[in-house]
Amino acid sequence: MPRNLQNIAVVSLSTVGSRIFGLIRDMMIFAALGASIWSSVFLIAFTLPNLFRRLLGEGALTSAVVPLFSEVLKQSGKERAFRFLNTVLFRLCFILVVLTFFLVFALAIGNEIGLLPGRWSLASKFTATLLPYMSFICLAAIVAAVLNILGRFFSAACTPILLNIAMITALGIGLLLDLPANQLIWWLCGGVLIGGFLQFLVPVIDLLLQGWRPGPGQAESFLMQELWRLFLPGLLGAAILQLNILVSRLLAFSLDESATSILYLASRLMELPLGVFTIAVVTVFFPLLAKAFAERDEEAYSDALLSGMRLVIAVSLPAGIGLIVLGRPIVSTLFEWGAFDNADVAATVPLIAIYGFGLPFYSVATLATRGLHAGKEMKAPLRVAIICLMVNALSGIVLMQFFGASGLAMANVAAAIIQSVLLWRYLSEGHPLFQFGKLKKPLLQILAAGLTMGLFCLLISLFFSFLGIPEDVLRFVLVFLIIPLAVTLYFTLLLLLKFEDIKFFKKIIYRFI
């Protein structure tokens, strides 16, 4: 397991860097544009290419490619595996080019005949501008997945940093030129396109160093048939999951000019711990799960899944508690600058608490989905995804009438809870060695340590408020002093409670920090 620990640490540290730059990017966007029509329009425009990235890139297609590439690599070596990869990339590239032209044309026609009035028309123009990003990131995701199978994690994990740096640079130049918001957004779109190209270029160079050479490829027909068999159910499942995001943002966009921005910001803060550690664990464990399944090693498969579950819950649960207790000082410290004012902070805080409650369920669902995909089970996630789409859409439409954007966040979390429970059930039924009973003790340890940490944060916050410390000073103290102390307290409690996987965290810290 030391090698796995090192890979988790590499991916985690790369992801930390990406999330830090992503946080700086979002701070700059909201400071420059506020929770306004311009930030909402950009987020809507950025949603469509990201939706297809999840479908044709790092989502369904990656989940289908990884098990097959692993099997071909193990049985026939690199040459045949790379030939299979080239076939996939060549066909994907053709699909992406055709899809981009079709969507751009459809959006142009929609504007021309008046189907997209008001701010919807504005959003469609920027969506068409950002669509080429879809091709770069989808191809890059497949290359990155193959690099992970080959044990190469760093270059693929750090590429999001390039996107964030490109966006920060473009936005920074626009701010230095003192451009108005309606011009700044164009610079931001330019940064996305440049960053997307760099995200594609870096992993391609790494794969070239591993012996890969680009070409049309001529993979055996049975391999492509198996790919389609795995891909199509996964595509439908991923499409439904991404439709959840799209539906939520479109419903928010229909509420008012700022709701999309507020919903996005709250979900981004929830995704910070999710992306830093949960995605790192999933990235490293997915090839292990696929390999164990290919070798028909049920014990190794279940052990990897149980270990991954313990790790993601051990981080996501206390992170969620922290967002609930310290949501306001976190938002104020990070985003209450420039055009993003105190009213925007007040509107965001309730959504952060809602997403904080849902964070552990998002983490479990993420790993459970990949666990099923690694075992070539694509239909179960699809069935679950259909249920979650209906729950999210119907409850979102109802709850937004009473709670606005908070109602949409509630609907998202309700869908995540149902998704995690149903996926867990499918995993336990298909793999008898993977049982909830084996996680009861670590879950109780995590819960005890997490609640104690949350109580500590709450009491300290109340104590400092009682002392009359100015709010501007208090929020910095809570974020930069109390949060590190709370994290230290949490892991100390896990150590005292003899949490089974505390050794993973200790080794990562000793080796890399």
Side-chain angles (χ1 to χ4, degrees):
M1 290 298 268
R3 181 64 179 172
N4 297 333
L5 287 171
Q6 182 173 338
N7 290 336
I8 291 174
V10 167
V11 176
S12 295
L13 292 175
S14 300
T15 310
V16 166
S18 170
R19 294 293 170 169
I20 289 173
F21 279 103
L23 190 60
I24 295 171
R25 177 200 73 192
D26 289 341
M27 290 168 64
M28 290 181 64
I29 290 173
F30 284 103
L33 305 177
S36 67
I37 181 61
W38 296 108
S39 57
S40 292
V41 161
F42 172 76
L43 294 172
I44 288 292
F46 203 26
T47 298
L48 191 60
N50 273 301
L51 183 151
F52 282 101
R53 178 194 68 172
R54 297 286 187 179
L55 298 182
L56 302 177
E58 62 194 35
L61 186 55
T62 298
S63 295
V65 167
V66 167
L68 289 176
F69 188 91
S70 298
E71 288 183 7
V72 175
L73 182 66
K74 178 179 174 58
Q75 295 172 4
S76 306
K78 275 189 177 182
E79 183 179 349
R80 186 178 171 211
F82 283 152
R83 192 162 64 244
F84 167 67
L85 172 64
N86 282 341
T87 306
V88 173
L89 291 176
F90 183 80
R91 295 185 184 185
L92 176 60
C93 186
F94 175 77
I95 292 171
L96 290 169
V97 171
V98 172
L99 185 61
T100 299
F101 277 108
F102 172 78
L103 290 173
V104 169
F105 179 75
L107 289 170
I109 293 298
N111 267 318
E112 186 69 24
I113 63 177
L115 289 178
L116 301 167
R119 58 177 178 265
W120 297 97
S121 175
L122 191 62
S124 70
K125 294 176 182 178
F126 288 101
T127 299
T129 302
L130 291 180
L131 279 173
Y133 171 75
M134 173 179 68
S135 297
F136 294 135
I137 196 61
C138 288
L139 293 169
I142 301 300
V143 174
V146 169
L147 285 171
N148 291 342
I149 295 172
L150 298 175
R152 305 283 296 179
F153 289 90
F154 179 75
S155 62
C158 74
T159 52
I161 297 175
L162 300 174
L163 172 67
N164 291 325
I165 289 176
M167 293 176 68
I168 289 169
T169 302
L171 187 58
I173 293 173
L175 290 171
L176 288 175
L177 295 175
D178 198 24
L179 299 177
N182 63 337
Q183 295 181 34
L184 275 177
I185 190 173
W186 287 109
W187 282 78
L188 197 55
C189 290
V192 171
L193 297 177
I194 294 171
F197 175 73
L198 294 175
Q199 280 185 287
F200 170 69
L201 181 63
V202 170
V204 163
I205 292 174
D206 193 356
L207 193 59
L208 286 169
L209 295 175
Q210 307 311 307
W212 170 74
R213 294 296 177 266
Q218 294 180 342
E220 290 85 346
S221 59
F222 77 89
L223 278 175
M224 300 311 296
Q225 290 171 2
E226 180 69 2
L227 177 68
W228 279 106
R229 188 187 71 81
L230 296 174
F231 171 60
L232 289 178
L235 175 65
L236 293 173
I240 293 169
L241 291 175
Q242 292 309 304
L243 280 175
N244 275 327
I245 297 174
L246 183 61
V247 165
S248 296
R249 289 190 181 174
L250 292 178
L251 288 174
F253 201 60
S254 70
L255 276 173
D256 55 58
E257 294 183 351
S258 64
T260 299
S261 299
I262 297 299
L263 188 71
Y264 166 83
L265 181 56
S267 65
R268 284 286 291 175
L269 288 174
M270 181 269 293
E271 289 170 1
L272 188 61
L274 182 71
V276 167
F277 198 82
T278 298
I279 302 303
V281 171
V282 171
T283 300
V284 172
F285 274 77
F286 185 45
L288 295 177
L289 291 166
K291 181 174 181 292
F293 184 83
E295 295 175 351
R296 294 178 172 81
D297 190 341
E298 177 63 30
E299 185 175 355
Y301 179 93
S302 297
D303 286 347
L305 201 53
L306 287 167
S307 181
M309 285 291 181
R310 290 194 298 267
L311 289 171
V312 298
I313 296 172
V315 172
S316 62
L317 191 143
I321 292 173
L323 288 175
I324 294 171
V325 177
L326 298 177
R328 186 175 189 89
I330 291 173
V331 179
S332 296
T333 301
L334 297 177
F335 294 100
E336 197 174 348
W337 309 96
F340 197 86
D341 57 24
N342 190 60
D344 295 326
V345 172
T348 307
V349 170
L351 277 72
I352 290 177
I354 295 167
Y355 279 123
F357 178 80
L359 179 55
F361 298 100
Y362 281 104
S363 297
V364 169
T366 300
L367 184 58
T369 299
R370 286 305 182 98
L372 288 166
H373 286 171
K376 297 184 179 180
E377 174 53 76
M378 302 296 186
K379 293 182 180 179
L382 173 59
R383 288 192 289 267
V384 173
I386 292 173
I387 294 171
C388 291
L389 174 63
M390 292 189 294
V391 170
N392 183 59
L394 294 176
S395 60
I397 292 171
V398 173
L399 292 173
M400 67 184 277
Q401 309 302 323
F402 301 97
F403 304 104
S406 294
L408 295 174
M410 293 176 191
N412 293 164
V413 170
I417 293 172
I418 293 172
Q419 182 189 20
S420 62
V421 171
L422 292 179
L423 290 175
W424 192 301
R425 178 184 173 186
Y426 278 116
L427 276 172
S428 60
E429 288 178 350
H431 303 279
L433 295 179
F434 177 75
Q435 295 295 329
F436 179 77
K438 296 183 179 180
L439 291 175
K440 281 186 179 179
K441 180 179 177 181
L443 284 177
L444 290 174
Q445 292 169 328
I446 293 168
L447 187 61
L451 291 176
T452 303
M453 179 207 72
L455 182 61
F456 166 79
C457 292
L458 180 61
L459 292 176
I460 289 293
S461 179
L462 292 174
F463 175 71
F464 283 158
S465 298
F466 177 76
L467 293 179
I469 297 176
E471 185 176 348
D472 288 346
V473 177
L474 178 59
R475 69 188 192 188
F476 279 96
V477 171
L478 291 174
V479 170
F480 296 108
L481 177 61
I482 302 306
I483 289 180
L485 288 176
V487 172
T488 303
L489 171 64
Y490 171 73
F491 283 107
T492 301
L493 290 172
L494 284 186
L495 181 63
L496 294 174
L497 292 170
K498 298 181 180 180
F499 177 65
E500 183 174 351
D501 289 303
I502 192 65
K503 60 181 181 295
F504 286 90
F505 298 108
K506 288 169 62 178
K507 288 180 180 179
I508 289 173
I509 292 171
Y510 292 157
R511 186 186 295 266
F512 292 97
I513 297 181

